[in-house]
Amino acid sequence: MKVHLSPVHERDLSLVETWLRTAHVSARWGDPEENLALLRRPLQPGHWRAIIEADGRKVGLVLWQHPTRTELDVAGLNDIPTSVIDIDIMIGERNALGRGVGPRAIRLVAEQAFADPLVPFLIGCAVWDNLASQRAFAKAGFQRDRDFDDIPHGIHVLMVRQRQEEKTK
């Protein structure tokens, strides 16, 4: 299966809204209206987003950003620098679940993020019982680091992928 990332356009928001309203996405992402309002805002510096396409079909959304010091501190992640990249992903199309799309999309984001030499490592957070998300991050090279309280969203698992040092020949 060929997976690639494409820019999010205004015309994609109706499809993203459909995904946000499905049971499997809303259970993890929360209020569709809040999420749509955020997606309609212009991107801020240090924030990126893309539609995930699998074999030419739009199947999900991935967001990545530098978290703010406040976001990290509220979650008790005081030791995490703001130079990291935090990745959020949703697979909106049910028939794309469990087919390896998520890990492939996360790897594509990792490649882009690590192109910036100032990014020390990547993080992804999943609700503690969202094993599918944790597996997707693990398949993309992330390791479980710790549990933390993502106030007000509850206990989450912090997944971390370290920058791989280039091997010398």
Side-chain angles (χ1 to χ4, degrees):
M1 177 177 303
K2 176 134 174 69
V3 174
H4 79 275
L5 306 178
S6 61
V8 177
H9 298 286
E10 182 70 30
R11 65 181 176 268
D12 295 317
L13 292 182
S14 62
L15 179 58
V16 173
E17 179 177 8
T18 300
W19 295 335
L20 287 167
R21 295 188 186 286
T22 62
H24 75 278
V25 173
S26 66
R28 301 299 182 190
W29 279 63
D31 182 20
E33 295 304 323
E34 281 182 33
N35 284 302
L36 283 169
L38 291 172
L39 290 169
R40 285 190 173 102
R41 291 185 191 155
L43 280 173
Q44 300 299 312
H47 289 73
W48 303 269
R49 57 183 154 212
I51 293 290
I52 302 166
E53 293 188 25
D55 292 336
R57 247 181 89 236
K58 295 176 180 182
V59 299
L61 177 72
V62 63
L63 313 171
W64 63 105
Q65 59 279 325
H66 291 289
T68 67
R69 181 79 265 146
T70 300
E71 290 168 331
L72 291 165
D73 290 348
V74 165
L77 301 173
N78 311 63
D79 60 319
I80 305 288
T82 58
S83 55
V84 302
I85 295 289
D86 178 24
I87 303 170
D88 296 298
I89 187 169
M90 85 164 68
I91 303 300
E93 295 295 329
R94 270 195 146 326
N95 62 2
L97 294 171
R99 303 191 56 174
V101 173
R104 286 182 181 110
I106 293 168
R107 276 190 225 105
L108 290 171
V109 170
E111 288 172 16
Q112 289 182 35
F114 281 140
D116 180 347
L118 298 179
V119 173
F121 58 92
L122 310 176
I123 62 174
C125 304
V127 176
W128 69 272
D129 66 344
N130 188 346
L131 301 180
S133 181
Q134 292 173 48
R135 280 191 301 270
F137 277 101
K139 288 177 182 176
F142 287 66
Q143 294 187 350
R144 185 183 181 120
D145 184 77
R146 66 186 107 157
D147 293 351
F148 68 97
D149 192 355
D150 188 15
I151 299 169
H153 307 290
I155 302 300
H156 280 61
V157 174
L158 177 67
M159 305 290 292
V160 174
R161 178 172 168 182
Q162 298 293 334
R163 177 182 288 282
Q164 299 297 314
E165 296 300 322
E166 290 187 39
K167 295 179 182 175
T168 58
K169 293 185 177 185

Short mmCIF file of all heavy atoms in Angstrom, two decimals, residues 56-101:
data_model
loop_
_atom_site.label_atom_id
_atom_site.label_comp_id
_atom_site.label_asym_id
_atom_site.label_seq_id
_atom_site.Cartn_x
_atom_site.Cartn_y
_atom_site.Cartn_z
N GLY A 56 -3.99 6.47 -3.18
CA GLY A 56 -4.72 7.53 -3.87
C GLY A 56 -6.03 7.95 -3.22
O GLY A 56 -6.70 8.85 -3.71
N ARG A 57 -6.40 7.34 -2.10
CA ARG A 57 -7.64 7.67 -1.39
C ARG A 57 -7.34 8.42 -0.10
O ARG A 57 -6.45 8.02 0.65
CB ARG A 57 -8.38 6.38 -1.02
CG ARG A 57 -9.68 6.23 -1.75
CD ARG A 57 -10.41 4.96 -1.37
NE ARG A 57 -11.27 5.20 -0.23
CZ ARG A 57 -11.23 4.53 0.90
NH1 ARG A 57 -10.37 3.57 1.09
NH2 ARG A 57 -12.05 4.81 1.87
N LYS A 58 -8.07 9.49 0.16
CA LYS A 58 -7.91 10.24 1.41
C LYS A 58 -8.52 9.41 2.55
O LYS A 58 -9.70 9.05 2.49
CB LYS A 58 -8.60 11.59 1.30
CG LYS A 58 -7.95 12.48 0.24
CD LYS A 58 -8.67 13.79 0.07
CE LYS A 58 -7.98 14.61 -1.01
NZ LYS A 58 -8.60 15.91 -1.21
N VAL A 59 -7.68 9.10 3.55
CA VAL A 59 -8.14 8.21 4.61
C VAL A 59 -7.93 8.76 6.02
O VAL A 59 -8.44 8.19 6.99
CB VAL A 59 -7.47 6.82 4.52
CG1 VAL A 59 -7.82 6.14 3.21
CG2 VAL A 59 -5.97 6.90 4.71
N GLY A 60 -7.20 9.86 6.16
CA GLY A 60 -6.95 10.37 7.49
C GLY A 60 -6.26 11.71 7.50
O GLY A 60 -6.07 12.35 6.45
N LEU A 61 -5.88 12.12 8.69
CA LEU A 61 -5.29 13.43 8.92
C LEU A 61 -4.14 13.27 9.92
O LEU A 61 -4.26 12.50 10.89
CB LEU A 61 -6.34 14.37 9.50
CG LEU A 61 -5.92 15.78 9.89
CD1 LEU A 61 -5.65 16.62 8.65
CD2 LEU A 61 -7.01 16.44 10.74
N VAL A 62 -3.07 13.98 9.70
CA VAL A 62 -1.97 14.00 10.65
C VAL A 62 -1.58 15.46 10.91
O VAL A 62 -1.55 16.27 9.99
CB VAL A 62 -0.76 13.14 10.17
CG1 VAL A 62 -0.17 13.67 8.89
CG2 VAL A 62 0.29 13.02 11.25
N LEU A 63 -1.36 15.76 12.18
CA LEU A 63 -0.95 17.09 12.62
C LEU A 63 0.36 16.94 13.36
O LEU A 63 0.56 15.96 14.08
CB LEU A 63 -1.98 17.69 13.58
CG LEU A 63 -3.45 17.62 13.20
CD1 LEU A 63 -4.32 18.05 14.37
CD2 LEU A 63 -3.72 18.48 11.99
N TRP A 64 1.27 17.87 13.19
CA TRP A 64 2.49 17.86 13.98
C TRP A 64 2.88 19.29 14.28
O TRP A 64 2.62 20.20 13.50
CB TRP A 64 3.59 17.02 13.35
CG TRP A 64 4.13 17.43 12.01
CD1 TRP A 64 5.34 18.04 11.78
CD2 TRP A 64 3.55 17.24 10.71
NE1 TRP A 64 5.53 18.22 10.43
CE2 TRP A 64 4.44 17.74 9.75
CE3 TRP A 64 2.34 16.67 10.26
CZ2 TRP A 64 4.18 17.71 8.39
CZ3 TRP A 64 2.07 16.64 8.91
CH2 TRP A 64 2.98 17.15 7.98
N GLN A 65 3.45 19.47 15.47
CA GLN A 65 3.73 20.82 15.94
C GLN A 65 4.75 20.79 17.06
O GLN A 65 4.98 19.77 17.69
CB GLN A 65 2.45 21.49 16.45
CG GLN A 65 1.74 20.77 17.59
CD GLN A 65 0.88 19.62 17.12
OE1 GLN A 65 0.28 19.70 16.06
NE2 GLN A 65 0.83 18.55 17.88
N HIS A 66 5.34 21.96 17.28
CA HIS A 66 6.16 22.16 18.47
C HIS A 66 5.18 22.51 19.60
O HIS A 66 4.44 23.49 19.49
CB HIS A 66 7.13 23.34 18.29
CG HIS A 66 8.21 23.08 17.30
ND1 HIS A 66 9.25 22.21 17.54
CD2 HIS A 66 8.43 23.59 16.06
CE1 HIS A 66 10.06 22.19 16.50
NE2 HIS A 66 9.58 23.02 15.58
N PRO A 67 5.15 21.71 20.66
CA PRO A 67 4.24 22.05 21.77
C PRO A 67 4.75 23.27 22.51
O PRO A 67 5.96 23.57 22.50
CB PRO A 67 4.30 20.80 22.65
CG PRO A 67 5.60 20.15 22.33
CD PRO A 67 5.90 20.49 20.90
N THR A 68 3.84 23.97 23.16
CA THR A 68 4.25 25.14 23.94
C THR A 68 4.76 24.68 25.30
O THR A 68 4.47 23.57 25.76
CB THR A 68 3.07 26.12 24.15
OG1 THR A 68 2.10 25.48 24.98
CG2 THR A 68 2.45 26.55 22.82
N ARG A 69 5.52 25.55 25.94
CA ARG A 69 6.00 25.25 27.29
C ARG A 69 4.82 25.02 28.23
O ARG A 69 4.84 24.11 29.07
CB ARG A 69 6.88 26.42 27.78
CG ARG A 69 7.47 26.26 29.14
CD ARG A 69 8.71 25.35 29.13
NE ARG A 69 8.34 23.99 29.46
CZ ARG A 69 8.93 22.89 28.95
NH1 ARG A 69 9.92 22.97 28.09
NH2 ARG A 69 8.55 21.70 29.30
N THR A 70 3.77 25.83 28.08
CA THR A 70 2.59 25.68 28.95
C THR A 70 1.94 24.32 28.74
O THR A 70 1.59 23.66 29.72
CB THR A 70 1.59 26.82 28.67
OG1 THR A 70 2.22 28.07 28.94
CG2 THR A 70 0.34 26.68 29.52
N GLU A 71 1.76 23.91 27.47
CA GLU A 71 1.14 22.60 27.20
C GLU A 71 1.94 21.48 27.86
O GLU A 71 1.36 20.57 28.48
CB GLU A 71 1.04 22.35 25.69
CG GLU A 71 0.04 23.23 24.99
CD GLU A 71 0.17 23.18 23.47
OE1 GLU A 71 1.28 22.96 22.94
OE2 GLU A 71 -0.87 23.38 22.82
N LEU A 72 3.23 21.53 27.72
CA LEU A 72 4.08 20.49 28.30
C LEU A 72 4.04 20.52 29.83
O LEU A 72 3.92 19.47 30.47
CB LEU A 72 5.51 20.65 27.80
CG LEU A 72 5.71 20.33 26.31
CD1 LEU A 72 7.06 20.86 25.83
CD2 LEU A 72 5.57 18.85 26.03
N ASP A 73 4.12 21.71 30.41
CA ASP A 73 4.13 21.83 31.86
C ASP A 73 2.81 21.39 32.49
O ASP A 73 2.81 20.72 33.52
CB ASP A 73 4.48 23.25 32.29
CG ASP A 73 5.94 23.60 32.00
OD1 ASP A 73 6.74 22.68 31.69
OD2 ASP A 73 6.27 24.80 32.07
N VAL A 74 1.69 21.75 31.87
CA VAL A 74 0.38 21.34 32.40
C VAL A 74 0.27 19.82 32.43
O VAL A 74 -0.32 19.25 33.34
CB VAL A 74 -0.77 21.97 31.57
CG1 VAL A 74 -2.10 21.30 31.85
CG2 VAL A 74 -0.87 23.46 31.85
N ALA A 75 0.88 19.16 31.44
CA ALA A 75 0.85 17.70 31.38
C ALA A 75 1.92 17.06 32.28
O ALA A 75 2.02 15.84 32.33
CB ALA A 75 1.04 17.24 29.94
N GLY A 76 2.71 17.88 32.97
CA GLY A 76 3.76 17.35 33.82
C GLY A 76 4.98 16.89 33.06
O GLY A 76 5.80 16.13 33.57
N LEU A 77 5.12 17.33 31.81
CA LEU A 77 6.24 16.94 30.97
C LEU A 77 7.29 18.05 30.96
O LEU A 77 7.76 18.50 29.92
CB LEU A 77 5.75 16.61 29.56
CG LEU A 77 4.71 15.48 29.48
CD1 LEU A 77 4.16 15.35 28.06
CD2 LEU A 77 5.31 14.17 29.96
N ASN A 78 7.66 18.48 32.16
CA ASN A 78 8.56 19.63 32.33
C ASN A 78 9.94 19.41 31.74
O ASN A 78 10.63 20.36 31.42
CB ASN A 78 8.71 19.96 33.82
CG ASN A 78 7.36 20.04 34.51
OD1 ASN A 78 6.64 19.05 34.59
ND2 ASN A 78 7.02 21.20 35.02
N ASP A 79 10.35 18.15 31.59
CA ASP A 79 11.68 17.84 31.08
C ASP A 79 11.73 17.77 29.56
O ASP A 79 12.79 17.62 28.97
CB ASP A 79 12.17 16.52 31.66
CG ASP A 79 11.27 15.35 31.31
OD1 ASP A 79 10.03 15.52 31.33
OD2 ASP A 79 11.79 14.26 31.02
N ILE A 80 10.59 17.90 28.90
CA ILE A 80 10.52 17.83 27.44
C ILE A 80 10.74 19.24 26.87
O ILE A 80 10.01 20.17 27.23
CB ILE A 80 9.16 17.27 26.95
CG1 ILE A 80 8.86 15.92 27.58
CG2 ILE A 80 9.09 17.24 25.44
CD1 ILE A 80 9.69 14.77 27.08
N PRO A 81 11.70 19.42 25.97
CA PRO A 81 11.93 20.75 25.39
C PRO A 81 10.88 21.09 24.33
O PRO A 81 10.32 20.20 23.68
CB PRO A 81 13.32 20.63 24.76
CG PRO A 81 13.45 19.18 24.42
CD PRO A 81 12.69 18.43 25.49
N THR A 82 10.63 22.35 24.14
CA THR A 82 9.66 22.78 23.13
C THR A 82 10.17 22.60 21.71
O THR A 82 9.42 22.78 20.75
CB THR A 82 9.26 24.26 23.33
OG1 THR A 82 10.43 25.06 23.28
CG2 THR A 82 8.55 24.46 24.67
N SER A 83 11.41 22.20 21.55
CA SER A 83 11.96 21.95 20.21
C SER A 83 11.56 20.57 19.67
O SER A 83 11.82 20.27 18.51
CB SER A 83 13.47 22.08 20.23
OG SER A 83 14.03 21.23 21.22
N VAL A 84 10.90 19.74 20.49
CA VAL A 84 10.43 18.45 20.00
C VAL A 84 9.26 18.67 19.04
O VAL A 84 8.70 19.76 18.97
CB VAL A 84 9.97 17.50 21.13
CG1 VAL A 84 11.07 17.25 22.13
CG2 VAL A 84 8.71 17.98 21.80
N ILE A 85 8.92 17.63 18.32
CA ILE A 85 7.72 17.64 17.49
C ILE A 85 6.74 16.64 18.09
O ILE A 85 7.10 15.50 18.37
CB ILE A 85 8.04 17.25 16.03
CG1 ILE A 85 8.96 18.28 15.36
CG2 ILE A 85 6.77 17.03 15.22
CD1 ILE A 85 8.30 19.61 15.05
N ASP A 86 5.51 17.10 18.28
CA ASP A 86 4.42 16.28 18.80
C ASP A 86 3.52 15.92 17.64
O ASP A 86 3.10 16.80 16.88
CB ASP A 86 3.66 17.07 19.87
CG ASP A 86 2.47 16.32 20.43
OD1 ASP A 86 2.45 15.08 20.39
OD2 ASP A 86 1.55 17.01 20.93
N ILE A 87 3.20 14.64 17.48
CA ILE A 87 2.41 14.16 16.34
C ILE A 87 1.04 13.67 16.81
O ILE A 87 0.96 12.91 17.77
CB ILE A 87 3.15 13.01 15.61
CG1 ILE A 87 4.52 13.46 15.14
CG2 ILE A 87 2.30 12.47 14.45
CD1 ILE A 87 5.40 12.33 14.62
N ASP A 88 0.00 14.11 16.12
CA ASP A 88 -1.37 13.63 16.33
C ASP A 88 -1.85 13.05 15.01
O ASP A 88 -1.65 13.65 13.96
CB ASP A 88 -2.30 14.78 16.74
CG ASP A 88 -1.91 15.38 18.07
OD1 ASP A 88 -1.94 14.65 19.08
OD2 ASP A 88 -1.59 16.58 18.11
N ILE A 89 -2.54 11.91 15.09
CA ILE A 89 -2.97 11.24 13.87
C ILE A 89 -4.38 10.68 14.04
O ILE A 89 -4.76 10.27 15.14
CB ILE A 89 -1.98 10.12 13.46
CG1 ILE A 89 -2.32 9.53 12.10
CG2 ILE A 89 -1.86 9.08 14.55
CD1 ILE A 89 -1.25 8.62 11.54
N MET A 90 -5.13 10.71 12.95
CA MET A 90 -6.43 10.04 12.91
C MET A 90 -6.56 9.32 11.58
O MET A 90 -6.19 9.86 10.53
CB MET A 90 -7.60 11.02 13.08
CG MET A 90 -8.03 11.68 11.79
SD MET A 90 -9.63 12.48 11.77
CE MET A 90 -9.37 13.85 12.86
N ILE A 91 -7.04 8.11 11.65
CA ILE A 91 -7.42 7.38 10.44
C ILE A 91 -8.95 7.44 10.45
O ILE A 91 -9.60 6.83 11.29
CB ILE A 91 -6.91 5.92 10.45
CG1 ILE A 91 -5.38 5.89 10.62
CG2 ILE A 91 -7.36 5.21 9.17
CD1 ILE A 91 -4.59 6.60 9.55
N GLY A 92 -9.49 8.22 9.53
CA GLY A 92 -10.93 8.46 9.51
C GLY A 92 -11.73 7.39 8.80
O GLY A 92 -12.87 7.11 9.16
N GLU A 93 -11.14 6.80 7.78
CA GLU A 93 -11.85 5.77 7.01
C GLU A 93 -11.68 4.42 7.71
O GLU A 93 -10.57 3.92 7.85
CB GLU A 93 -11.31 5.71 5.58
CG GLU A 93 -11.54 6.96 4.77
CD GLU A 93 -13.03 7.22 4.50
OE1 GLU A 93 -13.81 6.25 4.40
OE2 GLU A 93 -13.39 8.41 4.40
N ARG A 94 -12.80 3.85 8.14
CA ARG A 94 -12.77 2.58 8.87
C ARG A 94 -12.04 1.47 8.10
O ARG A 94 -11.32 0.68 8.70
CB ARG A 94 -14.18 2.13 9.19
CG ARG A 94 -14.68 2.64 10.52
CD ARG A 94 -15.91 1.86 10.91
NE ARG A 94 -16.18 1.58 12.28
CZ ARG A 94 -15.35 1.34 13.27
NH1 ARG A 94 -14.09 1.36 13.09
NH2 ARG A 94 -15.76 1.08 14.49
N ASN A 95 -12.24 1.42 6.78
CA ASN A 95 -11.61 0.33 6.02
C ASN A 95 -10.10 0.51 5.87
O ASN A 95 -9.43 -0.36 5.33
CB ASN A 95 -12.29 0.13 4.67
CG ASN A 95 -12.21 1.33 3.77
OD1 ASN A 95 -11.60 2.34 4.11
ND2 ASN A 95 -12.82 1.23 2.62
N ALA A 96 -9.56 1.62 6.36
CA ALA A 96 -8.11 1.83 6.34
C ALA A 96 -7.48 1.47 7.69
O ALA A 96 -6.26 1.45 7.80
CB ALA A 96 -7.79 3.28 5.97
N LEU A 97 -8.31 1.18 8.68
CA LEU A 97 -7.78 0.83 10.00
C LEU A 97 -7.12 -0.55 9.96
O LEU A 97 -7.58 -1.46 9.28
CB LEU A 97 -8.91 0.81 11.04
CG LEU A 97 -9.56 2.16 11.34
CD1 LEU A 97 -10.80 1.96 12.20
CD2 LEU A 97 -8.57 3.09 12.02
N GLY A 98 -6.02 -0.66 10.71
CA GLY A 98 -5.35 -1.95 10.83
C GLY A 98 -4.63 -2.42 9.58
O GLY A 98 -4.31 -3.61 9.45
N ARG A 99 -4.35 -1.51 8.67
CA ARG A 99 -3.69 -1.87 7.41
C ARG A 99 -2.29 -1.27 7.28
O ARG A 99 -1.70 -1.30 6.22
CB ARG A 99 -4.57 -1.42 6.25
CG ARG A 99 -5.98 -2.07 6.36
CD ARG A 99 -6.76 -1.89 5.17
NE ARG A 99 -6.00 -2.45 4.05
CZ ARG A 99 -6.47 -2.56 2.84
NH1 ARG A 99 -7.68 -2.17 2.58
NH2 ARG A 99 -5.74 -3.05 1.87
N GLY A 100 -1.79 -0.70 8.36
CA GLY A 100 -0.43 -0.13 8.34
C GLY A 100 -0.34 1.29 7.85
O GLY A 100 0.76 1.83 7.70
N VAL A 101 -1.48 1.94 7.63
CA VAL A 101 -1.47 3.32 7.14
C VAL A 101 -0.90 4.27 8.19
O VAL A 101 -0.07 5.12 7.89
CB VAL A 101 -2.90 3.76 6.73
CG1 VAL A 101 -2.94 5.24 6.37
CG2 VAL A 101 -3.40 2.91 5.57
#
